Amino acid sequence: MDAEILISDQALNLGGFVLAHAAWSISDADDGALLVPLLVVEKSGERRMSRFEAETQEEAIACGFDAIDRLGDDVEVWAFAREALMKGEDESHDALVVHVWAKGMSDWIMILQAYKPINSERPFQLNSQFEVVIGDATVEDAALAPLSEEIDRGINDHPQAALMWNHWLEV
């Protein structure tokens, strides 16, 4: 699968920005608090953000996906951030998941960033590098480098999170 054909730089850039915003939003939340799902849409060069609150996290996420379904053809690019559990080899991890799409893409892709929420024993931490998933496959290291560059540009465009990103990464 050729990621260069399926993914636009504009989508990756917005995905990085929204990932950064999601991390910044949850970085100082009380232990157990969940990210309020958020959708950022670009149309005619302008960004618009919507958040989705509901009785449950599942309902809020469903509201976000419903909003995506109603966007129509005139939207240039969108990125939707939510929270999930990532299954690791030994345990599951909290993760931020950003779905991104731009005109010309056959389907969205996902950017996944595992993290450890703030608690009384440690500050908020990002668990190493984000992952990119296209279809059902995680993009491997060699193919990830060009995608990561554009995602990193989006992260660095976020005025607050860009200052904290390296601090949040586990060493």
Side-chain angles (χ1 to χ4, degrees), residues 9-21 47 77-79 98-100 111 151 154-155:
D9 287 348
Q10 185 181 15
L12 293 171
N13 186 283
L14 182 62
F17 181 86
V18 170
L19 175 63
H21 191 79
R47 287 183 179 172
V77 61
W78 56 257
V98 179
H99 302 260
V100 298
I111 304 167
I151 294 168
I155 290 168

Short mmCIF file of all heavy atoms in Angstrom, two decimals, residues 9-21 47 77-79 98-100 111 151 154-155:
data_model
loop_
_atom_site.label_atom_id
_atom_site.label_comp_id
_atom_site.label_asym_id
_atom_site.label_seq_id
_atom_site.Cartn_x
_atom_site.Cartn_y
_atom_site.Cartn_z
N ASP A 9 -0.67 15.66 2.66
CA ASP A 9 0.09 16.40 3.67
C ASP A 9 -0.82 17.26 4.51
O ASP A 9 -0.61 17.42 5.71
CB ASP A 9 1.17 17.27 3.01
CG ASP A 9 2.33 16.46 2.47
OD1 ASP A 9 2.44 15.26 2.81
OD2 ASP A 9 3.14 17.02 1.72
N GLN A 10 -1.85 17.82 3.89
CA GLN A 10 -2.79 18.68 4.61
C GLN A 10 -3.49 17.88 5.71
O GLN A 10 -3.67 18.37 6.83
CB GLN A 10 -3.81 19.26 3.63
CG GLN A 10 -4.76 20.26 4.25
CD GLN A 10 -5.76 20.80 3.23
OE1 GLN A 10 -5.94 20.25 2.14
NE2 GLN A 10 -6.42 21.89 3.59
N ALA A 11 -3.87 16.65 5.43
CA ALA A 11 -4.53 15.80 6.43
C ALA A 11 -3.56 15.46 7.55
O ALA A 11 -3.92 15.53 8.74
CB ALA A 11 -5.06 14.52 5.78
N LEU A 12 -2.33 15.10 7.22
CA LEU A 12 -1.34 14.77 8.24
C LEU A 12 -1.03 15.97 9.12
O LEU A 12 -0.91 15.84 10.34
CB LEU A 12 -0.06 14.25 7.59
CG LEU A 12 -0.19 12.91 6.87
CD1 LEU A 12 1.09 12.63 6.10
CD2 LEU A 12 -0.50 11.79 7.85
N ASN A 13 -0.90 17.14 8.51
CA ASN A 13 -0.61 18.35 9.27
C ASN A 13 -1.74 18.66 10.24
O ASN A 13 -1.50 18.91 11.43
CB ASN A 13 -0.37 19.51 8.31
CG ASN A 13 0.07 20.76 9.03
OD1 ASN A 13 -0.75 21.44 9.65
ND2 ASN A 13 1.35 21.05 8.97
N LEU A 14 -2.97 18.63 9.76
CA LEU A 14 -4.10 18.89 10.64
C LEU A 14 -4.19 17.79 11.70
O LEU A 14 -4.49 18.08 12.87
CB LEU A 14 -5.41 18.98 9.85
CG LEU A 14 -6.64 19.31 10.71
CD1 LEU A 14 -6.51 20.68 11.38
CD2 LEU A 14 -7.91 19.24 9.86
N GLY A 15 -3.92 16.56 11.33
CA GLY A 15 -3.93 15.47 12.31
C GLY A 15 -2.92 15.69 13.42
O GLY A 15 -3.22 15.45 14.60
N GLY A 16 -1.73 16.17 13.08
CA GLY A 16 -0.73 16.49 14.11
C GLY A 16 -1.19 17.61 15.02
O GLY A 16 -1.02 17.55 16.24
N PHE A 17 -1.78 18.64 14.43
CA PHE A 17 -2.29 19.76 15.22
C PHE A 17 -3.38 19.30 16.18
O PHE A 17 -3.38 19.65 17.36
CB PHE A 17 -2.83 20.86 14.29
CG PHE A 17 -3.35 22.05 15.03
CD1 PHE A 17 -2.50 23.08 15.41
CD2 PHE A 17 -4.70 22.15 15.35
CE1 PHE A 17 -2.97 24.18 16.10
CE2 PHE A 17 -5.19 23.25 16.05
CZ PHE A 17 -4.32 24.26 16.43
N VAL A 18 -4.30 18.48 15.70
CA VAL A 18 -5.40 18.00 16.54
C VAL A 18 -4.89 17.03 17.59
O VAL A 18 -5.35 17.05 18.74
CB VAL A 18 -6.53 17.40 15.66
CG1 VAL A 18 -7.57 16.69 16.50
CG2 VAL A 18 -7.17 18.52 14.83
N LEU A 19 -3.91 16.19 17.26
CA LEU A 19 -3.28 15.33 18.26
C LEU A 19 -2.67 16.17 19.37
O LEU A 19 -2.84 15.89 20.56
CB LEU A 19 -2.22 14.44 17.61
CG LEU A 19 -1.41 13.57 18.55
CD1 LEU A 19 -2.29 12.56 19.29
CD2 LEU A 19 -0.30 12.85 17.78
N ALA A 20 -1.96 17.22 18.99
CA ALA A 20 -1.35 18.11 19.98
C ALA A 20 -2.41 18.78 20.84
O ALA A 20 -2.26 18.89 22.07
CB ALA A 20 -0.50 19.17 19.27
N HIS A 21 -3.50 19.22 20.22
CA HIS A 21 -4.57 19.87 20.98
C HIS A 21 -5.22 18.89 21.96
O HIS A 21 -5.51 19.24 23.10
CB HIS A 21 -5.62 20.47 20.05
CG HIS A 21 -6.57 21.37 20.77
ND1 HIS A 21 -6.24 22.65 21.12
CD2 HIS A 21 -7.82 21.14 21.25
CE1 HIS A 21 -7.26 23.20 21.78
NE2 HIS A 21 -8.24 22.30 21.87
N ARG A 47 -10.29 27.10 9.91
CA ARG A 47 -10.52 25.96 10.79
C ARG A 47 -11.68 26.24 11.73
O ARG A 47 -11.80 27.34 12.28
CB ARG A 47 -9.28 25.66 11.63
CG ARG A 47 -8.16 25.06 10.84
CD ARG A 47 -6.98 24.71 11.71
NE ARG A 47 -5.94 24.10 10.89
CZ ARG A 47 -4.73 23.82 11.32
NH1 ARG A 47 -4.38 24.08 12.57
NH2 ARG A 47 -3.85 23.27 10.51
N VAL A 77 -10.67 19.16 4.54
CA VAL A 77 -9.96 18.23 5.41
C VAL A 77 -10.60 18.27 6.79
O VAL A 77 -11.16 19.29 7.19
CB VAL A 77 -8.44 18.58 5.48
CG1 VAL A 77 -8.20 19.97 6.03
CG2 VAL A 77 -7.64 17.55 6.25
N TRP A 78 -10.55 17.14 7.50
CA TRP A 78 -11.03 17.11 8.87
C TRP A 78 -10.15 16.18 9.69
O TRP A 78 -9.49 15.29 9.15
CB TRP A 78 -12.50 16.71 8.99
CG TRP A 78 -12.92 15.40 8.38
CD1 TRP A 78 -13.57 15.23 7.20
CD2 TRP A 78 -12.74 14.08 8.92
NE1 TRP A 78 -13.80 13.89 6.97
CE2 TRP A 78 -13.30 13.17 8.02
CE3 TRP A 78 -12.15 13.58 10.08
CZ2 TRP A 78 -13.29 11.78 8.23
CZ3 TRP A 78 -12.13 12.21 10.31
CH2 TRP A 78 -12.71 11.33 9.38
N ALA A 79 -10.17 16.39 11.01
CA ALA A 79 -9.48 15.51 11.95
C ALA A 79 -10.35 15.39 13.19
O ALA A 79 -10.83 16.39 13.72
CB ALA A 79 -8.10 16.06 12.31
N VAL A 98 -6.59 9.93 16.55
CA VAL A 98 -7.02 11.00 15.65
C VAL A 98 -7.26 10.39 14.28
O VAL A 98 -6.36 9.82 13.67
CB VAL A 98 -5.97 12.13 15.57
CG1 VAL A 98 -6.44 13.22 14.60
CG2 VAL A 98 -5.67 12.71 16.95
N HIS A 99 -8.50 10.48 13.83
CA HIS A 99 -8.88 10.06 12.48
C HIS A 99 -8.72 11.29 11.59
O HIS A 99 -9.20 12.37 11.95
CB HIS A 99 -10.34 9.60 12.44
CG HIS A 99 -10.64 8.49 13.38
ND1 HIS A 99 -10.71 7.18 12.98
CD2 HIS A 99 -10.89 8.48 14.71
CE1 HIS A 99 -11.00 6.42 14.01
NE2 HIS A 99 -11.11 7.19 15.08
N VAL A 100 -8.07 11.14 10.42
CA VAL A 100 -7.89 12.27 9.52
C VAL A 100 -8.29 11.89 8.10
O VAL A 100 -8.14 10.73 7.68
CB VAL A 100 -6.43 12.81 9.53
CG1 VAL A 100 -6.06 13.32 10.89
CG2 VAL A 100 -5.44 11.78 9.08
N ILE A 111 -4.04 8.27 13.59
CA ILE A 111 -2.80 8.53 14.32
C ILE A 111 -3.10 8.14 15.76
O ILE A 111 -4.08 8.62 16.34
CB ILE A 111 -2.40 10.01 14.24
CG1 ILE A 111 -2.28 10.47 12.79
CG2 ILE A 111 -1.11 10.26 15.01
CD1 ILE A 111 -2.19 11.98 12.62
N ILE A 151 3.19 15.22 10.32
CA ILE A 151 2.47 15.19 11.60
C ILE A 151 3.20 16.06 12.62
O ILE A 151 2.58 16.84 13.35
CB ILE A 151 2.29 13.74 12.10
CG1 ILE A 151 1.38 12.97 11.15
CG2 ILE A 151 1.74 13.73 13.53
CD1 ILE A 151 1.36 11.47 11.37
N GLY A 154 2.48 19.67 12.19
CA GLY A 154 1.19 20.02 12.78
C GLY A 154 1.28 20.15 14.30
O GLY A 154 0.70 21.07 14.88
N ILE A 155 2.00 19.24 14.95
CA ILE A 155 2.20 19.33 16.40
C ILE A 155 2.89 20.65 16.73
O ILE A 155 2.49 21.35 17.66
CB ILE A 155 3.03 18.13 16.91
CG1 ILE A 155 2.20 16.84 16.81
CG2 ILE A 155 3.52 18.37 18.34
CD1 ILE A 155 3.00 15.57 17.01
#
